[in-house]
Amino acid sequence: MSDQYKFTLEESEIPTSWYNINPDMPVNPAETAWNAVLHPGTQEPATPEFLSVLFPMKFIMEAVSMDRWIEIPEPVRDIYKLWRPSPLIRARRLEKALDTPAHIYYKYEGVSPVGSHKPNTAIAQAFYAKEEGVKAFTTETGAGQWGSALAMACNFFDIDCHVYMVKVSYEQKPYRRVMMETYGAEVTPSPSDKTQYGQSVLAENPDSPGSLGIAISEAVEAAVTSDGKYKYSLGSVLGPVLMHQTVVGLEALKQFEKADEYPDVVIGCVGGGSNFGGFAFPFLHKNFTEGTKTRFVAVEPTACPTLTKGKYAFDYGDSAKSAPIVKMHTLGHSFVPPGIHAGGLRYHGMAPHISSLHDNGDIEAIALDQVSTFEGALQFARAEGIVPAPESSHAVKATIDEALKCKEEGTSKVIAFNLSGHGFFDLAAYDEYLHDNLVIYEYPQAEIEKATADLPEVQLG
Ligand SMILES: *Cc1c(COP(=O)(O)O)cnc(C)c1O
């Protein structure tokens, strides 16, 4: 084995196709409905006509495609070259600090211009919109990572971008807003008076801090009432988004070949599930087709325990019940999460694919509290130098725990995790951790029961 740290690829080795897991899903779609997208009003399967009011047609076709490999359009691949291939790094200094026999690798997506994995899908979605003559995208953002990615992508393809940003983040984290505006996007704190739904939320609670569910409702309303001028873009959860992210795992596969190793455990944090899915699915494909026995661990916050405590049921994608209904692990569409620092992990639902795979036992899930994740983040930063995003720190901490288990058991496993982004815009959170102001929050079971009491009753015909 080499003594290399970094496993890099040539630009020419950026994958030419994404991996579409649809044909390989181990569970019957009719049974588990991982691919059922229902109209929020009629609760009947959504027609392409309904969905096309929201999304570019190309995106909808990807969602239902049964082709295993989908070619990455050349203009998208060209923009990927600005930062891809991203490095796979052996965390030798962390291994040493932990004194573990485990081999730890991380794929670093923080090298993108906006500092996370999110442009991998933003670029593709903006390209489709441009091709179909769409004038603008509306979207929501929590902490601002998705908003910055889409703002950059829209700017590259010369279309407008209107972002509804969860108000509490808009007020507390101005730098992400400035970044979006730098790319030319318009940013509105949500709830706002620009939409009927926003007005109704404000009428009930003028001090509403907002939530992703509310911001999605506003962005969806702005799109559907625009006479086809605007479409809506979502940065996670949906099948095509996870598929666009597989560029991450596909690169990692090639890099592991160069390292002459193969992961026993693959770890990622989960918000809506896109960075985890994008990293894990190409390895899962090997489990399905080549009999490898890699374990997959999805890591979520105890403050938003979608996979570990949510219900696996049909639910709306947003608070206003205007976004499509899908079957997923959910904390309920009315869920308003506590203000933990991993803003990107606060969505009430989970990607239907991830939910189904978890339900089927193909992937494991654990929940970690934010104090222990920052503990892991600091350990990582002090060993490897990179300051991880609070979201990614969930994967970091889970990896450290796995590596320590290896030490206890005296086994040398290969552990790979996706370092989905850097934490340079989250230093206020680090400041709180460093000065003992960070609290542990576990979402109460009673609240979960309450929020999941009014899920839609769906009968699939
Ligand atoms: C948005 C975000 C996440 C969570 O979203 P997923 O769709 O689950 O990947 C994780 N890490 C970072 C850095 C993010 O920006």
Side-chain angles (χ1 to χ4, degrees), residues 143 145 173 176 341 343 374 388-391 422-431:
Q145 285 143 324
K173 299 180 177 169
R176 280 280 174 194
H341 284 293
F374 274 98
E391 291 84 1
H422 67 63
F424 295 169
F425 286 90
D426 303 282
L427 293 177
Y430 276 86
D431 193 32

Side-chain angles (χ1 to χ4, degrees), residues 295-306:
R295 276 177 56 215
F296 297 90
V297 184
V299 193
E300 60 186 13
T302 52
C304 187
T306 321

Side-chain angles (χ1 to χ4, degrees), residues 116-118 145 235-236 269-275 344-345 389 391-392 420-421:
S116 78
H117 64 288
K118 293 218 166 70
Q145 285 143 324
S236 189
C269 65
V270 281
S274 74
N275 87 87
L345 305 184
E391 291 84 1
S392 322
S420 51

Side-chain angles (χ1 to χ4, degrees), residues 90-109:
R90 169 109 181 247
R92 290 180 182 273
R93 292 179 50 86
L94 180 65
E95 291 170 14
K96 214 167 182 183
L98 299 172
D99 189 27
T100 173
H103 293 185
I104 303 174
Y105 290 84
Y106 60 95
K107 180 76 169 156
Y108 187 40
E109 287 296 302

